[in-house]
Every structure is written in C-alpha cells, then in structure tokens.
Amino acid sequence: MDFFAFINGFLAWSQTPLGANIVGPLVVVLATATGIFLIKCIRSVPDRFDRWLKRRVGLI
C-alpha cells in the first residue's frame, strides 16, 4: 500500500463533515495526551537522575 496515497485519502476524508467531526476531537485528545506525557517525562528527569547518581555512588 502506498503510504502517500493513504495519507492523501485520509486528508480528503477528514475534510468531509463526518470526517471533521471525528478528526477534530481526536486531534484535541491526542494533543492533550501528548502534552501530559511530555510534562510527566520532563518532571521525572530529576528523580531519575538522583536514582542514577545514588546507584553510581554506591558502585564506586
């Protein structure tokens, strides 16, 4: 299956009223989930670094 043909078909479908009603909220949900995931990953960096540092000091 040609990937670009699939994308072009999807973009054409998403311009229809039914497609827009499905794709619009889906994009909002995916953007929100991605934002939450990135925030959690960024906030966990100091904790992961502290755990790594404690293991490193224990090994030396």
Side-chain angles (χ1 to χ4, degrees):
M1 180 177 196
D2 187 19
F3 180 71
F4 292 110
F6 172 74
I7 294 297
N8 284 334
F10 177 75
L11 290 175
W13 172 79
S14 67
Q15 297 300 315
T16 64
L18 176 63
N21 286 337
I22 294 172
V23 173
L26 185 63
V27 168
V28 172
V29 168
L30 289 175
T32 304
T34 302
I36 291 171
F37 174 76
L38 288 175
I39 289 171
K40 286 188 175 194
C41 285
I42 291 170
R43 286 186 178 175
S44 71
V45 168
D47 294 333
R48 285 186 282 148
F49 178 74
D50 287 341
R51 286 195 305 265
W52 174 83
L53 191 59
K54 288 176 184 175
R55 282 190 310 238
R56 179 96 173 146
V57 169
L59 293 175
I60 294 177

